[in-house]
Amino acid sequence: MSNALIIVDVQKDFCEGGSLAVTGGAGVAAGISRLLAAEPDRWDHVVATKDYHVDPGLHFGDPPDFVSTWPRHCVVGTPGSEFHPELATGRIEAIFHKGEYAAAYSGFEGHAEGGEVLADWLRQRGVDRVDVVGIATDHCVRATALDAAREGFAATVLLDLTAAVAPDTTDVALRAFEGAGITMHGAPVIRAA
């Protein structure tokens, strides 16, 4: 069996200067790159997810409530949908796009260019363990890690390589990880309340 790193939504719009910036996002991008360089053999496979919105309906709000509606972000064809420049992408074998026409938080809701879904992609390569990193701890990282566990993968969240939106929703995420048997290492980057 083998292991994989899932890099969740390390995109320009979710980092400082983006339309839905999360404090520490750029640092997470750089940290992931440093770890990939320092430990090149740690993972057998590396994949990434992208928010990839065309017309996600009620996911965009005007004004947004920052609970179920958000400012426009990661719209296909815009610079904000691209990976942050601090993220080294050379090891990424597949990118799973999510949320084209509806809200989607988990990378397991996404699909690769050929239509393959993440769970199938991982299973076809004998992956049984995944480490999850990225943005945001309390939203898309949370959903991706929980779905990984539901799909039967042994999941670990490397919290030092995640950035969170808010303390209260991060507490909910950490409790959910614990309840799902997800291993956690470190602490997320989180702005002060």
Side-chain angles (χ1 to χ4, degrees):
M1 300 305 277
S2 64
N3 64 353
L5 177 67
I6 302 174
I7 302 169
V8 177
D9 297 2
V10 181
Q11 294 165 265
K12 291 180 182 178
D13 270 349
F14 294 137
C15 296
E16 292 82 352
S19 66
L20 189 50
V22 178
T23 301
V28 164
I32 294 167
S33 297
R34 282 192 300 273
L35 183 58
L36 285 167
E39 299 184 41
D41 299 323
R42 181 167 175 174
W43 297 281
D44 300 303
H45 302 283
V46 178
V47 299
T49 70
K50 272 190 175 183
D51 246 21
Y52 208 65
H53 298 312
V54 176
D55 181 8
L58 299 177
H59 186 58
F60 291 163
D62 187 20
D65 65 16
F66 295 95
V67 176
S68 60
T69 63
W70 307 92
R72 289 179 62 82
H73 61 277
C74 299
V75 174
V76 174
T78 65
S81 71
E82 299 302 320
F83 288 123
H84 191 276
E86 291 293 320
L87 179 66
T89 59
R91 286 277 322 270
I92 296 173
E93 297 172 58
I95 300 168
F96 294 86
H97 298 109
K98 58 189 177 66
E100 287 99 324
Y101 298 100
Y105 294 89
S106 170
F108 287 86
E109 297 176 82
H111 58 84
E113 191 172 303
E116 192 172 19
V117 296
L118 179 54
D120 291 345
W121 192 97
L122 294 169
R123 285 191 187 103
Q124 287 168 6
R125 287 152 183 83
V127 172
D128 61 339
R129 292 169 286 119
V130 298
D131 290 342
V132 183
V133 298
I135 306 169
T137 318
D138 38 349
H139 295 282
C140 294
V141 168
R142 174 187 180 213
T144 301
L146 290 173
D147 277 355
R150 273 192 282 275
E151 289 284 349
F153 298 100
T156 298
V157 179
L158 305 180
L159 292 169
D160 289 343
L161 296 175
T162 71
V165 172
D168 56 344
T169 50
T170 301
D171 288 342
V172 170
L174 299 181
R175 287 195 301 273
F177 294 157
E178 186 174 9
I182 295 169
T183 303
M184 294 173 273
H185 292 295
V189 176
I190 187 165
R191 72 173 187 224

